[in-house]
Amino acid sequence: MTRPITLLHGDEHGITTAEYAVGTAAGAGLAGLLYKLLTGGFGERMLHTLFDHVFSLLGIG
């Protein structure tokens, strides 16, 4: 009876799950950082400046 040839890397069935976990953790970290920036004073000033600029382009403000 012959044995099948195995790859040097071994079994990689769980690698996709690990990649999804890393991607999910990175996404959650980025979302937390954006939330912190936008709910603080910096975010308020940035949004105010953005809306003022858009309104001035439209001739409203």
Side-chain angles (χ1 to χ4, degrees):
M1 188 177 244
T2 61
R3 291 177 46 176
I5 298 173
T6 59
L7 298 174
L8 294 176
H9 298 291
D11 188 18
E12 295 185 1
H13 287 287
I15 200 73
T16 303
T17 304
E19 289 170 355
Y20 281 126
V22 169
T24 301
L30 180 61
L33 177 65
L34 286 175
Y35 176 77
K36 230 14 196 168
L37 284 174
L38 292 177
T39 56
F42 171 76
E44 185 177 334
R45 286 190 311 272
M46 183 181 68
L47 289 174
H48 183 70
T49 303
L50 176 69
F51 280 110
D52 284 345
H53 182 69
V54 170
F55 289 153
S56 69
L57 288 175
L58 295 174
I60 297 173

